[in-house]
Amino acid sequence: MSELFDTVWGWGEFLWSFTIVQIVLSIVALMVPLMLCVAYLTFAERKIIGYMQVRIGPNRVGFFGFKMWGLGQPIADAVKLMFKEIIIPAKANKVLFLMAPVISLATALAAWAVIPLNDFLGIADEVNAGLLYVLAITSLGVYGVIIAGWSSNSKYAFLGALRSSAQIVAYEIAMGFALVGVLLAAGDLNLRVIVESQHGELGLLDWFWLPLFPLFIVYFISGVAETNRAPFDVAEGESEIVAGFHVDYSGMAFAVFFLAEYANMILIAALTAIMFAGGWYSPLPEAWIPGGIMGSLIGDGIQWFIIKTAFFLIFFLWFRATFPRYRYDQIMRLGWKVFIPVTIVWLLVVAVMVLMQLGPWFD
Amino acid sequence: MVEIISFYVFAGLLLFAATMVITMKNPVHSALFLVMTFFNCAALWLMLEAEFLAITLVLVYVGAVMVLFLFVVMMLDINIARMREGFARYLPIAAVVAVILAVELILVVGPANFGLEQFAEPVRHAADYSNTRELGLILYTVYLYPFEIAAAILLVAIVAAISLTMRRREGTRHQDITKQVATKATDCVRVVKMESDTDYDGGSDA
């Protein structure tokens, strides 16, 4: 027995000595829980919006004959979609048609490479241009939508693609400016350093959401617009253009778009937590945190990062349950005429605050 | 070894994609191959430790410029047969121009000017060396005036482009959003107080 263990351990050590094995394993270790979160976010959305609208939501599918409040629903959905046929329209561009969902999901997942989960976890969180990398990768997500809309060779899909590309270009600028504010405040592009520069004795009040409040709001709303979520979901607009860019997709190809949307939501929520809400730091003032097990529970740690991400995710669902869809010209007006001026003005304010070394954030 | 292999892979893909940009019949395919060209270029720059330039290339050109490019190209209705008509007729002139360009480029960028004898091999920086910080420091100190002038020229170009294309036509129907936003509930809804109809006898006409 111990001999077998030794051989396996030896093989493990041999494989671990290759850098590529370490990299692949760390990616898998992050991606598997993340995809599970994506699956259960779809479930959470249906449940939470259900409760907001005084319904029950899915409550039938469980495991092993137990209903378990419908917890089996996302698995059942995935199995169903996997076994459905992927119909490719006759006049569609086949290669691009199948590439589009892959691009959508890949860009949503690739940005996780530079995200620090707590003070030591992360795949490549030592990259010193992390913020730039995140901006560049998230700006690529629109290609999935554009290529899907164009290659479907359908008018509705094409209209969705056009709407989406104009919208994303508009909101990307506001988003970029909001992140320039964070960069100014933190003085570094590395996401870990950005979180660490929000550390202080006051807990919650030390984070950047307070001095950068307008940028925080602009960033989060632009994030909702970037992910094509309600009330900015004109690219889908099921009441106007059926389902927009993915009207011709079926089966798993459609499911991948669906997963990409939810993965993007988690990404935006996690980024908001990192840039404006102190990442893995505890919201309690340092003096309040006791020692021992209680201290490690409510002290700094990955649990706070997860809680904050979940907190921002609830807003995505809440928006969808509450607001009617924006009219397209109103979206453009909000992006170009409201958000961009607000961010530019607040950038100047942040620059002055940093120069004056205003406490407790910038001293 | 890994570096040399990845250089040739990226460089080969770059040349392939660049060739496809000019040979593809469909302009949308050309634009997408241009995106691929930018990506491989960014990868090559990353290998040269110019991570700021590499990521900015992806951010600006792939993330914004090419999206707008695709936006326009997708809506074009191009007759491909007509575009290929003059190909044979213009080929000799194009070939002469191409040969001259190639010779000039080789003369300028060739090893005589950019070889290892002319430039020492650049020193490798430590892992914590930040490209972005160094570029920022130089851009906002030594090259401040050129930088600001370039910015001003770009701003003028933006204003010019907008003022050239913006025209107000009379008689078009459109919504004035400022008016819509400024509307109050009291402007649209009138609450009327009425005496209740006490003579109503409880649905005798039903």
Side-chain angles (χ1 to χ4, degrees):
Chain A
M1 188 66 207
S2 88
E3 236 173 66
L4 180 72
F5 178 79
D6 278 347
T7 349
V8 172
W9 186 254
W11 270 101
E13 268 190 334
F14 174 69
L15 283 176
W16 188 250
S17 61
F18 292 102
T19 323
I20 191 147
V21 175
Q22 294 182 24
I23 294 173
V24 168
L25 280 181
S26 62
I27 291 174
V28 170
L30 182 65
M31 281 305 130
V32 172
L34 185 66
M35 290 317 284
L36 270 179
C37 286
V38 168
Y40 274 90
L41 180 58
T42 65
F43 178 68
E45 170 166 50
R46 293 169 71 181
K47 271 291 193 199
I48 290 170
I49 293 185
Y51 288 134
M52 284 179 181
Q53 296 167 344
V54 205
R55 295 183 284 115
I56 298 173
N59 68 341
R60 296 284 137 174
V61 191
F63 296 102
F64 312 113
F66 298 100
K67 278 185 187 165
M68 298 170 76
W69 316 282
L71 272 176
Q73 187 69 43
I75 312 293
D77 286 343
V79 170
K80 180 194 119 183
L81 283 165
M82 256 186 260
F83 285 103
K84 287 190 111 179
E85 183 185 358
I86 299 177
I87 298 166
I88 300 175
K91 290 265 176 108
N93 189 316
K94 243 182 219 164
V95 179
L96 289 179
F97 187 80
L98 293 177
M99 235 168 77
V102 179
I103 294 176
S104 272
L105 188 62
T107 53
L109 297 181
W112 281 90
V114 293
I115 289 183
L117 302 175
N118 65 5
D119 43 0
F120 56 88
L121 279 177
I123 295 177
D125 51 312
E126 72 279 2
V127 170
N128 52 22
L131 188 62
L132 266 178
Y133 171 82
V134 164
L135 262 179
I137 291 292
T138 50
S139 72
L140 298 180
V142 65
Y143 277 97
V145 176
I146 296 181
I147 293 176
W150 183 78
S151 65
S152 300
N153 209 351
S154 144
K155 289 194 176 66
Y156 286 132
F158 188 60
L159 280 173
L162 287 185
R163 287 178 173 196
S164 174
S165 51
Q167 176 184 330
I168 295 226
V169 167
Y171 280 85
E172 198 125 283
I173 299 172
M175 208 171 182
F177 271 131
L179 292 185
V180 170
V182 175
L183 164 64
L184 256 179
D188 205 294
L189 282 169
N190 183 314
L191 292 180
R192 168 149 294 154
V193 178
I194 288 177
V195 174
E196 276 163 1
S197 64
Q198 299 180 54
H199 188 60
E201 290 168 2
L202 297 174
L204 184 76
L205 301 176
D206 268 312
W207 305 340
F208 284 154
W209 67 273
L210 206 52
L212 307 181
F213 192 73
L215 299 183
F216 168 53
I217 299 297
V218 166
Y219 178 79
F220 192 66
I221 298 178
S222 306
V224 177
E226 290 271 294
T227 48
N228 277 326
R229 291 283 300 180
F232 298 98
D233 56 344
V234 288
E236 280 179 46
E238 69 271 3
S239 52
E240 306 142 33
I241 49 173
V242 199
F245 63 95
H246 59 49
V247 65
D248 279 312
Y249 282 84
S250 60
M252 209 52 206
F254 164 75
V256 171
F257 269 124
F258 204 73
L259 294 179
E261 180 179 327
Y262 285 81
N264 263 321
M265 278 164 63
I266 299 181
L267 176 69
I268 294 287
L271 283 174
T272 316
I274 284 173
M275 312 278 182
F276 297 98
W280 60 85
Y281 287 127
S282 167
L284 301 172
E286 235 166 55
W288 295 10
I289 297 173
I293 298 172
M294 195 60 197
S296 59
L297 265 182
I298 61 170
D300 306 338
I302 192 169
Q303 74 275 18
W304 282 112
F305 179 62
I306 294 170
I307 290 171
K308 286 168 192 171
T309 309
F311 175 76
F312 288 119
L313 275 174
I314 297 282
F315 278 88
F316 278 91
L317 312 184
W318 194 3
F319 288 160
R320 183 168 168 203
T322 325
F323 295 127
R325 184 175 297 130
Y326 259 114
R327 211 173 58 204
Y328 199 75
D329 61 325
Q330 288 173 329
I331 290 184
M332 284 292 135
R333 176 179 169 273
L334 185 70
W336 289 103
K337 293 189 180 171
V338 179
F339 280 177
I340 294 176
V342 164
T343 46
I344 291 177
V345 168
W346 206 258
L347 271 186
L348 289 177
V349 176
V350 174
V352 171
M353 284 198 286
V354 172
L355 267 184
M356 288 170 61
Q357 301 196 321
L358 195 74
W361 309 287
F362 306 122
D363 48 359
Chain B
M1 189 59 196
V2 178
E3 243 174 87
I4 291 174
I5 292 174
S6 38
F7 169 78
Y8 279 110
V9 168
F10 286 128
L13 281 174
L14 188 142
L15 288 178
F16 164 75
T19 321
M20 293 310 263
V21 173
I22 50 171
T23 50
M24 271 284 161
K25 284 181 193 167
N26 193 325
V28 174
H29 291 168
S30 296
L32 289 173
F33 270 112
L34 193 54
V35 169
M36 188 178 162
T37 315
F38 284 140
F39 255 106
N40 286 302
C41 191
L44 287 180
W45 285 0
L46 264 185
M47 290 177 61
L48 290 173
E49 300 180 15
E51 79 272 359
F52 179 79
L53 285 181
I55 299 177
T56 320
L57 180 76
V58 173
L59 177 62
V60 175
Y61 279 89
V62 180
V65 174
M66 287 312 294
V67 171
L68 290 177
F69 229 86
L70 269 175
F71 185 83
V72 176
V73 165
M74 279 193 311
M75 285 194 290
L76 292 179
D77 186 23
I78 297 178
N79 189 345
I80 295 161
R82 252 194 68 201
M83 273 181 63
R84 299 182 72 82
E85 250 174 22
F87 188 75
R89 195 148 58 91
Y90 295 122
L91 190 61
I93 306 174
V96 171
V97 172
V99 167
I100 294 175
L101 259 179
V103 169
E104 281 177 351
L105 272 178
I106 290 168
L107 284 179
V108 173
V109 204
N113 291 328
F114 282 91
L116 272 181
E117 306 85 55
Q118 259 63 23
F119 291 93
E121 198 174 339
V123 193
R124 266 181 192 280
H125 294 288
D128 59 341
Y129 172 83
S130 172
N131 215 301
T132 320
R133 186 179 295 273
E134 298 299 318
L135 260 176
L137 279 177
I138 279 193
L139 213 55
Y140 289 104
T141 51
V142 183
Y143 294 103
L144 181 64
Y145 287 126
F147 182 73
E148 291 294 333
I149 290 169
I153 291 173
L154 278 176
L155 185 67
V156 170
I158 294 172
V159 173
I162 292 175
S163 63
L164 276 177
T165 51
M166 197 165 75
R167 54 199 168 118
R168 292 215 180 275
R169 275 182 297 165
E170 289 299 312
T172 51
R173 288 163 173 274
H174 64 276
Q175 286 130 334
D176 189 346
I177 298 189
T178 26
K179 256 188 210 166
Q180 287 184 330
V181 171
T183 309
K184 292 190 210 70
T186 48
D187 299 338
C188 340
V189 185
R190 189 162 52 98
V191 182
V192 190
K193 272 219 156 44
M194 280 180 74
E195 290 277 305
S196 60
D197 197 353
T198 45
D199 294 340
Y200 186 58
D201 59 350
S204 63
D205 54 333

